[in-house]
Amino acid sequence: MTTYYEEYSKVLVSVDCIIFGFDEGELRILIGRRNMDPGRGEWSLYGGFVNSTESLDDAANRVLFQLTGLRNLYMRQVGAFGNVDRDPGERVISVAYCALINVNDYDVRLQEQHGVKWVSLKEMPRLYSDHNLMVAKAHKMMREKISCEPISFNLLPNLFTLTQLQKLYEAVCGESVDKRNFRKRVKEMDFIEKTELIDKTTSRRGASLYRFNRKAYDDSPNFKL
Amino acid sequence: MTTYYEEYSKVLVSVDCIIFGFDEGELRILIGRRNMDPGRGEWSLYGGFVNSTESLDDAANRVLFQLTGLRNLYMRQVGAFGNVDRDPGERVISVAYCALINVNDYDVRLQEQHGVKWVSLKEMPRLYSDHNLMVAKAHKMMREKISCEPISFNLLPNLFTLTQLQKLYEAVCGESVDKRNFRKRVKEMDFIEKTELIDKTTSRRGASLYRFNRKAYDDSPNFKL
DNA sequence: CCAAAAGTGTTCCGTCTACACCCATGG
DNA sequence: CCATGGGTGTAGACGGAACACTTTTGG
């Protein structure tokens, strides 16, 4: 291959993943202790370097698969972080990606194997390098999207109750909302379908289980909470 | 310096700038003919490679200054673009930045010197590599921000008429709005101040000139159009 | 029978939208 | 005097917010 641009310096590029989950009414992200120098032992997002043969998105998907064993996760780019000294080792530019998963889909043994765990956003420790900035930006993106895009369903089981959906919404926004108004808005969206199934695990009475119908959503994508 | 991460491959990183201006009722961006291989002669955004001593934001500011001679421009990161084959030369990851400038501040001779010109968004040609994607994403970001953040004022002179402000708003959104409703909303924002000055260049009667008071905005940042 | 969560409607208020005419001036 | 863009108010529709009680059932 002909080489162009010879005179310019190259840098390492990595991807770092902000993986959100929702459990026990709390929004959580996956973090682990860094197992390489520099910064060994510090809390950190899970990440990896971008290979020469893969796009940024490919790299993020690979890293996510490595960690979770899951494919086709909902994933969005958060942004590129490129301060010169952001990595104490050497110059590394990192592209942050945000992913949403249903915590039940993520095997606890895989978590232990990779040394990561779910930590509530409210109890987020100080993270390696600029990872707290990445988390903050990802969380901001989520807050902006939660009421106009159907992203919640990536964090919930296929079948979920309206109370779960509402608690998730409240956890992301950081404020509580009126139950009747919330349900009124849900009822407007035909692609959130009530099933005949009842979840009896959280109350004596039991709560109807709902399902997100993506096909119906794609037909008329009007999401508003 | 100790070297870590030795086994990973490094790549070139560039910044590309989507520079918006507003003139004759049209939203325009600065593009030029590419003056290096590969792709010499194709329409392209203005960009440059990131040096080892500068952050991504620094690089974007440097490139913007090189091109326009202007500092402290309004500038926001659009995102990182990293498909393997996005650059036909060799692997280059590019971080797109969007900047807003007042076209009057940009010397025509500098434009000629750098071989760039203002092109209306509506007449955007096919651009080099994935630059059209970058433009589309930057435009989307602008549409989202134009009605809830005071970004318009970066595209207008210090003193502007309400008609100018409205035309700009319409150009960004791509739809026209009612004049009286628009002005009602402007009147709600105390930081958009009417001056005693009159612009007589666009009508016989003359139009009042307004000014954006940033201090007042910072005190109570409630922008809504 | 009681605790605990699920489920359900109405009213009010504020906001957004639609809409048409007079003004000031230069040529 | 007329053409051109600047400037102004109101009424009706709509959507969002506030608000409290009944239902179900396992223990």
Side-chain angles (χ1 to χ4, degrees):
Chain A
M1 190 178 91
T2 320
T3 55
Y4 301 89
Y5 317 135
E6 289 182 31
E7 64 268 44
Y8 300 102
S9 64
K10 299 185 177 187
V11 297
L12 287 165
V13 177
S14 64
V15 294
D16 286 304
C17 298
I18 301 103
I19 304 173
F20 285 99
F22 179 64
D23 200 21
E24 295 172 20
E26 303 242 303
L27 197 59
R28 296 164 193 271
I29 70 172
L30 272 180
I31 58 175
R33 295 284 185 179
R34 205 172 138 87
N35 62 6
M36 61 163 102
D37 285 315
R40 188 183 295 271
E42 291 182 41
W43 286 112
S44 164
L45 296 172
Y46 194 79
F49 288 97
V50 177
N51 294 329
S52 56
T53 56
E54 62 187 359
S55 69
L56 292 169
D57 287 5
D58 289 345
N61 275 315
R62 172 177 53 79
V63 165
L64 284 169
F65 179 70
Q66 265 174 23
L67 179 63
T68 65
L70 303 170
R71 293 215 191 263
N72 300 121
L73 292 174
Y74 175 92
M75 185 193 83
R76 290 292 181 276
Q77 190 188 113
V78 172
F81 292 74
N83 281 348
V84 176
D85 295 327
R86 58 172 295 283
D87 191 296
E90 64 178 291
R91 180 87 199 259
V92 181
I93 286 169
S94 184
V95 181
Y97 278 82
C98 157
L100 307 182
I101 76 177
N102 170 9
V103 293
N104 304 322
D105 289 346
Y106 188 22
D107 190 340
V108 176
R109 283 150 63 195
L110 267 177
Q111 290 173 41
E112 287 163 1
Q113 194 176 310
H114 287 97
V116 294
K117 63 168 195 171
W118 291 108
V119 174
S120 163
L121 261 191
K122 294 174 192 160
E123 298 153 9
M124 196 55 51
R126 149 101 215 165
L127 303 177
Y128 177 72
S129 182
D130 50 8
H131 289 192
N132 288 99
L133 287 180
M134 295 178 178
V135 171
K137 190 164 177 201
H139 187 204
K140 176 161 179 274
M141 275 178 60
M142 251 186 107
R143 273 196 308 266
E144 288 166 359
K145 288 189 173 170
I146 193 81
S147 45
C148 53
E149 289 182 43
I151 62 170
S152 302
F153 312 110
N154 298 293
L155 290 161
L156 294 170
N158 275 328
L159 294 169
F160 52 87
T161 68
L162 294 187
T163 302
Q164 280 179 294
L165 185 63
Q166 181 176 348
K167 292 293 173 210
L168 168 54
Y169 180 82
E170 291 174 340
V172 172
C173 295
E175 55 191 23
S176 48
V177 298
D178 180 85
K179 181 165 58 162
R180 278 171 292 188
N181 293 335
F182 184 83
R183 284 165 185 243
K184 209 183 309 171
R185 294 196 289 268
V186 170
K187 210 164 278 177
E188 293 297 304
M189 295 185 266
D190 296 338
F191 48 81
I192 301 181
E193 298 171 346
K194 186 173 186 166
T195 68
E196 296 305 311
L197 305 166
I198 306 289
D199 172 24
K200 314 251 331 178
T201 61
T202 54
S203 76
R204 311 207 193 279
R205 181 181 178 177
S208 287
L209 286 164
Y210 287 71
R211 171 197 297 133
F212 173 56
N213 182 333
R214 182 163 296 278
K215 276 201 183 57
Y217 171 75
D218 289 338
D219 282 348
S220 94
N222 307 311
F223 188 94
K224 194 84 194 74
L225 271 184
Chain B
M1 191 177 90
T2 321
T3 57
Y4 302 88
Y5 316 136
E6 289 182 30
E7 64 266 47
Y8 299 102
S9 65
K10 300 185 176 188
V11 298
L12 286 165
V13 177
S14 65
V15 293
D16 285 305
C17 299
I18 301 103
I19 303 173
F20 285 98
F22 178 65
D23 201 21
E24 295 171 23
E26 303 241 306
L27 197 58
R28 297 165 191 271
I29 70 172
L30 273 180
I31 58 174
R33 295 284 185 181
R34 203 172 139 88
N35 62 6
M36 59 165 104
D37 286 314
R40 188 183 295 271
E42 290 182 41
W43 287 112
S44 164
L45 295 172
Y46 194 78
F49 288 97
V50 177
N51 294 329
S52 55
T53 57
E54 62 187 1
S55 68
L56 293 170
D57 287 4
D58 288 345
N61 276 314
R62 172 177 54 79
V63 165
L64 285 169
F65 178 70
Q66 264 173 24
L67 179 63
T68 64
L70 303 170
R71 293 214 190 265
N72 301 120
L73 293 175
Y74 175 93
M75 184 193 84
R76 290 291 180 276
Q77 191 188 110
V78 171
F81 292 74
N83 281 349
V84 176
D85 294 327
R86 59 173 294 283
D87 192 295
E90 64 178 292
R91 179 87 198 261
V92 181
I93 285 169
S94 185
V95 181
Y97 278 82
C98 158
L100 307 182
I101 76 177
N102 169 9
V103 293
N104 304 323
D105 290 345
Y106 188 22
D107 191 341
V108 176
R109 284 151 61 197
L110 268 176
Q111 289 172 42
E112 287 164 1
Q113 194 176 311
H114 287 97
V116 294
K117 64 168 193 169
W118 292 108
V119 174
S120 162
L121 262 190
K122 293 174 194 158
E123 299 154 9
M124 195 58 48
R126 150 101 214 164
L127 303 177
Y128 176 72
S129 183
D130 51 7
H131 288 193
N132 288 98
L133 287 181
M134 294 178 179
V135 171
K137 189 162 177 202
H139 188 203
K140 178 162 178 274
M141 275 178 59
M142 249 185 108
R143 273 197 308 267
E144 288 166 359
K145 288 189 175 171
I146 193 81
S147 45
C148 54
E149 288 183 44
I151 63 172
S152 301
F153 311 110
N154 297 293
L155 290 161
L156 294 171
N158 275 329
L159 295 169
F160 53 87
T161 68
L162 294 187
T163 302
Q164 280 179 294
L165 185 63
Q166 180 176 350
K167 293 292 173 212
L168 168 55
Y169 180 82
E170 291 174 340
V172 171
C173 295
E175 54 193 22
S176 49
V177 298
D178 180 85
K179 180 164 59 160
R180 278 171 292 187
N181 293 336
F182 184 83
R183 285 167 184 241
K184 207 183 309 172
R185 293 196 289 269
V186 170
K187 212 165 275 179
E188 292 297 303
M189 294 185 267
D190 296 338
F191 49 81
I192 301 181
E193 298 172 345
K194 186 174 187 167
T195 68
E196 297 304 311
L197 304 166
I198 307 287
D199 171 24
K200 313 246 341 174
T201 60
T202 53
S203 77
R204 309 209 193 281
R205 180 182 177 176
S208 287
L209 286 163
Y210 287 70
R211 171 196 297 135
F212 173 57
N213 182 335
R214 182 164 296 276
K215 276 199 182 58
Y217 171 75
D218 289 337
D219 283 348
S220 94
N222 308 310
F223 187 94
K224 195 84 194 71
L225 270 184

